Amino acid sequence: MRLIVRTVSELCMTAGALIVLFVAYVLFWTGVDADNEMDRQVESLKQQWAEDGRKPAAAPYRDGRPFALMYIPRLGFTWNKPVLEGTRTSTLKKGLGHYAATARLGGQGNFAVAGHRRTYGDPFKDFPELRRGDAVVLSDGTTWFTYRIDKGPYKTLPADIQVIDPVPRKSGYTRPGRYLTLTTCDPEWGHSHRLIVWAHLESTQPVDAGKPEALRR
Amino acid sequence: MYGWIWRHLPGNAWVRALISLLLILAVVYVLFQYVFPWAEPLLPFNDVTVDDQ
């Protein structure tokens, strides 16, 4: 009898410790992991750009590989994240993910990007702070692309795939253009909805011309 | 359970304590490296796209 009680209580303690460890993993360790991984991705991007020299970046994006850096001053002056091709779970652990079926960066159509709201470095934690007029700046190593947010954050359901259409539904855009869509989950720790913001391409400039206006302080 | 493990470890109390510590560290390592990364995607924090489901 005593043995049974002892064993059961030991198992309960073990389960408790396991849960505490798992919470620590999700809240803390995924962030450490992702920050390291994103640093590695940024590093490999910069190296790649250095090797490519001035070649125009017209190569097709490779699945799971970084191809651009995103800056959003509203999310923090030092906020910058690598953008990788594809939105698989393993890809989103390393940075933001570009929906493979959508337009290329700066291209005609809709360049759509997804990112974690929470865990894995919390890249889009402050997503609801984004406002009309905010800049979203991207670089592919040769060109700076400055997008301006027109609408958002718009809350929708996970199945609403029209939000990443070339002319996104509900975005207020009526004509084809060069657009950007960002998606993340809502509520913060849930998955019942998605938050969306839309932006249009405002300007581009070669990297030689220095940082775009939106990134200067 | 833990009593059984303790009794089956070799050496005196200090050696056993050291081995226990190493065992705990090994378990935590395996959890963080293999078990939790497998379990975490089963939670909803990964659903950030609009087309996956």
Side-chain angles (χ1 to χ4, degrees), chain A residues 10 14 18 21-22 25-26 29 87 89 92 99 114-116 119-120 158-161 163 183-185 189 191 194, chain B residues 1-4 7 27-28 31-33 35-41 43-53:
Chain A
E10 279 179 352
T14 308
L18 208 63
L21 277 177
F22 186 57
Y25 172 81
V26 170
W29 192 251
T87 51
T89 306
L92 288 167
Y99 289 84
H116 276 290
T119 71
Y120 292 104
D160 186 10
I161 61 169
V163 298
T183 73
T184 193
C185 68
W189 292 98
H191 65 150
R194 299 289 182 271
Chain B
M1 186 173 67
Y2 293 120
W4 184 88
R7 279 194 301 278
V27 169
V28 170
L31 284 174
F32 269 58
Q33 204 63 29
V35 181
F36 290 161
W38 162 82
E40 198 272 343
L43 291 174
F45 315 133
N46 282 291
D47 304 335
V48 293
T49 59
V50 286
D51 56 352
D52 276 356
Q53 44 181 291

Side-chain angles (χ1 to χ4, degrees), chain A residues 116-132:
Chain A
H116 276 290
R117 177 93 174 266
R118 278 297 194 169
T119 71
Y120 292 104
D122 305 340
F124 279 159
K125 179 162 74 77
D126 296 326
F127 202 85
E129 306 292 317
L130 294 173
R131 291 288 174 268
R132 183 192 171 93

